Amino acid sequence: VKGQKFKKYPEELKKEAIRLHMEEKWTYRQITEHLEIHDKDRVKKWMRKYKQLGEFGLLDQRGRREEYLDQDRYVAKLKRENDVLKKCLQIWKQGV
């Protein structure tokens, strides 16, 4: 929707919402009322992103897509390097 106003919620508020749900077992409704979040599905969306990406998923990604794509590529590269190093270590241990 053109001209739609997005309400930005600070990262700390998102973390508190996640904490209340996971640690205190609050319902989404209790959290939205307590933290005065107007969109009733907002906390559910944060929860889904948090489960997929951890705290990184709670960052506001609007207008920063490229940066995140680069970060995803970098993480994938590090994982590949890590796997190679683990295999090298196994081979090295067998040879010792």
Side-chain angles (χ1 to χ4, degrees):
V1 180
K2 199 168 186 166
Q4 184 177 358
K5 288 272 184 250
F6 285 102
K7 174 136 177 58
K8 280 183 95 167
Y9 293 99
E11 198 178 331
E12 291 308 312
L13 183 125
K14 294 177 188 180
K15 286 181 186 174
E16 178 62 6
I18 300 291
R19 188 193 71 76
L20 287 171
H21 184 67
M22 292 183 74
E23 292 178 19
E24 310 289 335
K25 308 295 183 224
W26 284 29
T27 64
Y28 292 132
R29 185 177 177 175
Q30 288 172 313
I31 295 166
T32 52
E33 287 174 5
H34 177 70
L35 297 176
E36 297 175 7
I37 298 165
H38 303 294
D39 175 4
K40 62 181 173 52
D41 294 324
R42 180 66 42 207
V43 177
K44 202 181 294 183
K45 289 173 187 166
W46 293 340
M47 199 67 221
R48 193 168 52 237
K49 284 183 174 181
Y50 180 77
K51 284 181 177 168
Q52 288 174 334
L53 302 166
E55 288 187 10
F56 187 68
L58 301 179
L59 297 174
D60 186 0
Q61 297 186 16
R62 289 189 296 266
R64 288 163 56 182
R65 187 86 185 105
E66 275 309 305
E67 192 179 316
Y68 289 102
L69 285 174
D70 289 345
Q71 187 126 11
D72 287 345
R73 280 192 209 107
Y74 181 64
V75 168
K77 178 177 168 271
L78 290 176
K79 284 181 178 173
R80 285 194 305 271
E81 288 175 3
N82 215 6
D83 288 342
V84 169
L85 289 171
K86 284 178 185 173
K87 286 175 187 161
C88 289
L89 187 61
Q90 285 175 336
I91 293 167
W92 179 75
K93 281 182 178 175
Q94 289 167 357
V96 171

